[in-house]
């Protein structure tokens, strides 16, 4: 279920960052999984999770 | 306790409540009704059982709400047959609606802190607030009231604070604009119903400003991330959840933002009239006579709504509040209004609503269809208007001809107490300085009295001791 206002993708990352050290770690993991996905994409078919553009 | 609602005689759709598809607002004569979708009704059930609802309703910070009778739902379904409303709520109707572009700095700040307190309390109870807009806050005099019951929903694990961006655009950036730049936020909010975007706000600052509290994170980084993600349809919400984002993080973010908001202070620069009361000693003799005049008119009967236009420090608003339900105290000087608000807040006053209003450029109708937010007059005309030390400012500083001033007064459709300083008055002389000698040929007591008596019956007029000022009590013809 999505909210009725557009939260803004960048804003969502920022609101996590503003949550202190734990937030920075969560955002770190988010970017790390993006890196992993890019590496994997180099080898395989696109991930089923890959969001639509 | 609120009584169970009676059958509403005639409901009207509130034109500004269309954004959320899970709730829609209808106005009744004495109550406000909210239609709920199935999801909206389930969210209401969760809220109604919470301690948050009980606690904030008891403190008056949440609008008094109960489930409406089936007759209300029937009428709503008749009015809006295309939608599938399954429930309805009935709210108390607050006496006067105002918008954030009419609030002073401390008002927006207190509304922001209420919004944040609601988010953090909601989190503790498995609820979430789905948006963060100051339009969901109204005022009981000088006390903020959160009115959008439809904003509360059941929290979902891993859900971020989706209202953060909206909070920045409509609460935080306007406050930072005044606190760090000394620029009034009111015209910006009035100019854009959605507020100031991170990218636009970032452009107002230089890199050196990044060292000020909150700027690096909430402005610079925020704008940068927004730019990076502008054209990517990535599922950040899902990614955050997978990375282990949880409710505790939202609470930490909200606390971080609240700490920032609490430390901000207004920096309104030089205010022309905030020292007015101290500098106008020559008017001391007149003040007592003015107070007595106002007290006499106000004491004639109980009134629902009085406007004090050009309220300054609120001396006459306080007198008017002795015999009325609500006084809207309006002044164009935001520093003056902020000072009045803070003193009313400290007294826990609920009978005076201070607003920043420039009468020569009053709030227009804005938003979708020009109907989302209405003009000041469309939100309810008063039964009495006080216009003390006002006419010369409109007529000389703002070049509104006296004839126009009186025509406008008549359009308020109410009794007026109006003061006219003549050309010999020291304040009028000061305003005329720098203008041509033959400026404002219409500005005279004769013209004013002629115009006034063409549209009003003058009940009483008194010349004040200074000899340059006259007070009139007039009722519309």
């Amino acid at each position: 279920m999505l909210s009725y206002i557009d939260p803004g993708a960048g804003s969502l990352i920022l609101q996590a960052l503003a949550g202190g050290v734990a937030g920075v770690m969560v955002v770190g993991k988010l970017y790390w999984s993006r890196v992993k996905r890019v590496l994997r994409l180099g080898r395989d078919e696109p991930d089923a999770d890959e969001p639509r553009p | 306790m609120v009584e169970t609602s009676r059958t509403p005689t005639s409901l009207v759709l509130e034109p500004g409540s269309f954004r959320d598809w899970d709730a829609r607002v209808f106005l009744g004569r004495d109550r406000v009704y909210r239609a709920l979708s199935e999801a909206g009704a389930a969210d209401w059930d969760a809220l109604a059982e919470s301690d948050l609802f009980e606690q904030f309703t008891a403190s008056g910070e949440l609008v008094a709400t109960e489930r409406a009778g089936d007759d209300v739902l029937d009428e709503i379904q008749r009015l809006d047959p295309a939608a599938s409303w399954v429930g309805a709520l009935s709210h108390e109707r607050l006496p006067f609606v105002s918008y954030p572009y009419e609030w002073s700095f401390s008002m927006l700040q207190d509304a922001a802190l209420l919004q944040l307190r609601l988010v953090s309390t909601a989190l503790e109870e498995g609820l979430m607030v789905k948006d963060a807009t100051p339009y969901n806050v109204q005022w009981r005099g000088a006390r903020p009231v959160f009115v959008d019951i439809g904003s509360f929903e059941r929290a979902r694990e891993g859900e971020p604070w989706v209202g953060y961006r909206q909070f920045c655009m409509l609460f935080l950036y306007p406050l930072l604009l005044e606190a760090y730049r000394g620029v009034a936020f009111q015209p910006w909010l009035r100019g854009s119903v959605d507020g100031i975007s991170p990218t636009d706000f970032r452009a107002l600052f230089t890199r050196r400003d990044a060292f000020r509290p909150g700027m690096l994170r909430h402005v610079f980084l925020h704008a940068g991330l927004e730019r990076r993600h502008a054209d990517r349809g990535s599922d950040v919400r899902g990614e955050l959840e997978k990375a282990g984002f949880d409710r505790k993080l939202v609470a930490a973010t909200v606390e971080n933002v609240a700490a920032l908001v609490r430390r901000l202070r207004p920096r309104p620069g030089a205010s022309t009239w905030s020292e007015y009361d101290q500098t106008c000693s020559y008017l001391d003799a007149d003040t007592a006579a003015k107070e007595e005049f106002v007290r006499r008119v106000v004491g004639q009967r109980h009134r629902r709504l009085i406007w004090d236009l050009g309220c300054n420090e609120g001396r006459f608003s306080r007198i008017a509040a002795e015999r009325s339900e609500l006084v809207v105290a309006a002044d164009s000087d935001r520093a003056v209004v902020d000072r009045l608000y803070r003193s009313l807040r400290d007294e826990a006053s609920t009978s005076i609503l201070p607003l920043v209003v420039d009468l020569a450029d009053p709030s227009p109708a804005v938003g979708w269809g020009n109907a989302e937010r209405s003009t000041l007059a469309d939100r309810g005309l008063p039964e009495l208007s006080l216009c003390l030390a006002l006419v010369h400012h409109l007529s000389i500083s703002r070049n509104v001809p006296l004839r126009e001033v009186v025509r406008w007064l008549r359009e308020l459709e109410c009794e007026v107490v109006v003061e006219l300083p003549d050309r010999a008055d020291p304040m009028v002389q000061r305003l005329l300085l720098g203008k041509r000698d033959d400026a404002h040929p219409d500005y005279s007591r004769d013209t004013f009295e002629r115009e006034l008596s063409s549209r009003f019956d003058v009940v009483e007029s008194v010349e004040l001791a200074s000899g340059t000022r006259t007070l009139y009590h007039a009722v519309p013809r």
Side-chain angles (χ1 to χ4, degrees), chain B residues 238-280:
Chain B
E239 288 180 78
L240 276 173
E241 194 178 343
K242 271 187 216 154
F245 189 85
D246 69 4
R247 230 177 273 170
K248 273 184 255 143
L249 272 175
V250 178
T253 302
V254 169
E255 187 36 55
N256 171 294
V257 176
L260 172 62
V261 169
R262 267 193 295 270
R263 65 185 290 173
L264 297 176
R265 291 290 171 268
R267 205 186 69 181
S271 148
T272 322
W273 306 111
S274 55
E275 308 304 324
Y276 184 75
D277 258 59
Q278 287 89 319
T279 56
C280 287

Side-chain angles (χ1 to χ4, degrees), chain B residues 127-236:
Chain B
L127 296 166
M128 190 58 199
V129 188
K130 62 174 130 177
D131 48 15
T133 158
Y135 292 95
N136 284 343
V137 177
Q138 291 299 328
W139 298 84
R140 214 186 293 280
R143 304 192 59 199
V145 185
F146 190 84
V147 296
D148 189 12
I149 292 294
S151 283
F152 295 93
E153 58 182 359
R154 294 152 292 166
R156 289 172 291 274
E157 203 44 66
E159 174 87 347
W161 180 24
V162 293
Y164 170 73
R165 182 166 191 269
Q166 201 179 27
F167 185 89
C168 287
M169 290 175 66
L170 284 161
F171 281 112
L172 184 62
Y173 295 164
L175 290 170
L176 291 173
L177 186 64
E178 166 122 25
Y180 291 167
R181 277 280 175 266
V183 173
F185 63 76
Q186 292 84 358
W188 295 58
L189 287 186
R190 177 166 121 172
S192 165
V193 97
D194 290 329
I196 313 170
S197 76
T199 310
D200 284 356
F201 196 62
R202 160 68 183 88
L204 303 176
F205 293 88
T206 62
R207 287 206 185 87
R208 220 174 36 187
D209 292 307
F211 294 103
R212 309 182 92 156
M215 288 296 292
L216 181 63
R217 218 181 299 194
H218 300 293
V219 181
F220 286 77
L221 214 52
H222 194 172
L225 281 167
E226 179 164 271
R227 221 176 11 253
R228 263 180 69 100
H229 288 84
D231 48 3
R232 282 214 227 153
S234 57
D235 175 25
V236 173

Side-chain angles (χ1 to χ4, degrees), chain B residues 193-448:
Chain B
V193 97
D194 290 329
I196 313 170
S197 76
T199 310
D200 284 356
F201 196 62
R202 160 68 183 88
L204 303 176
F205 293 88
T206 62
R207 287 206 185 87
R208 220 174 36 187
D209 292 307
F211 294 103
R212 309 182 92 156
M215 288 296 292
L216 181 63
R217 218 181 299 194
H218 300 293
V219 181
F220 286 77
L221 214 52
H222 194 172
L225 281 167
E226 179 164 271
R227 221 176 11 253
R228 263 180 69 100
H229 288 84
D231 48 3
R232 282 214 227 153
S234 57
D235 175 25
V236 173
R237 197 190 299 245
E239 288 180 78
L240 276 173
E241 194 178 343
K242 271 187 216 154
F245 189 85
D246 69 4
R247 230 177 273 170
K248 273 184 255 143
L249 272 175
V250 178
T253 302
V254 169
E255 187 36 55
N256 171 294
V257 176
L260 172 62
V261 169
R262 267 193 295 270
R263 65 185 290 173
L264 297 176
R265 291 290 171 268
R267 205 186 69 181
S271 148
T272 322
W273 306 111
S274 55
E275 308 304 324
Y276 184 75
D277 258 59
Q278 287 89 319
T279 56
C280 287
S281 53
Y282 71 96
L283 293 173
D284 278 356
D286 285 358
T287 304
K290 273 161 83 169
E291 282 182 357
E292 198 214 306
F293 192 95
V294 170
R295 190 166 271 124
R296 200 161 58 238
V297 175
V298 163
Q300 282 168 357
R301 62 193 171 87
H302 185 271
R303 291 176 177 88
R304 205 177 39 79
L305 180 64
I306 295 179
W307 283 0
D308 181 6
L309 305 173
C311 65
N312 203 275
E313 57 149 20
R315 182 189 294 267
F316 302 104
S317 303
R318 288 171 195 276
I319 294 172
E322 291 167 9
R323 283 299 305 275
S324 65
E325 217 166 289
L326 182 74
V327 178
V328 170
D331 204 290
S332 62
D333 186 329
R334 66 192 201 279
V336 159
V337 175
D338 201 56
R339 209 167 50 178
L340 174 60
Y341 167 72
R342 280 181 276 127
S343 69
L344 292 167
R345 178 187 63 190
D346 296 346
E347 299 159 26
S349 165
T350 55
S351 55
I352 300 174
L353 170 62
L355 294 179
V356 181
V357 176
D358 178 357
L359 292 165
D361 183 17
S363 304
V366 296
W368 172 248
N370 290 110
E372 215 176 331
R373 316 287 169 218
S374 48
T375 68
L376 196 68
D378 283 344
R379 282 172 262 154
L381 290 173
E383 289 167 48
L384 169 69
S385 286
L386 306 179
C387 308
L388 299 153
L390 175 73
V391 173
H392 54 308
H393 290 296
L394 288 176
S395 192
I396 298 172
S397 311
R398 310 301 293 273
N399 285 50
V400 183
L402 273 184
R403 186 192 182 87
E404 279 296 304
V405 173
V406 176
R407 189 188 58 75
W408 162 74
L409 271 180
R410 180 62 184 81
E411 280 177 3
L412 300 180
E413 295 286 343
C414 69
E415 286 175 73
V416 293
V417 169
V418 53
E419 174 184 24
L420 186 84
D422 64 27
R423 287 185 90 94
D425 185 83
M427 181 54 74
V428 174
Q429 286 296 314
R430 197 169 122 185
L431 296 176
L432 282 169
L433 273 178
K435 293 216 179 191
R436 272 168 30 191
D437 286 345
D438 61 349
H440 302 286
D442 67 318
Y443 194 87
S444 70
R445 193 189 294 187
D446 282 351
T447 313
F448 184 75

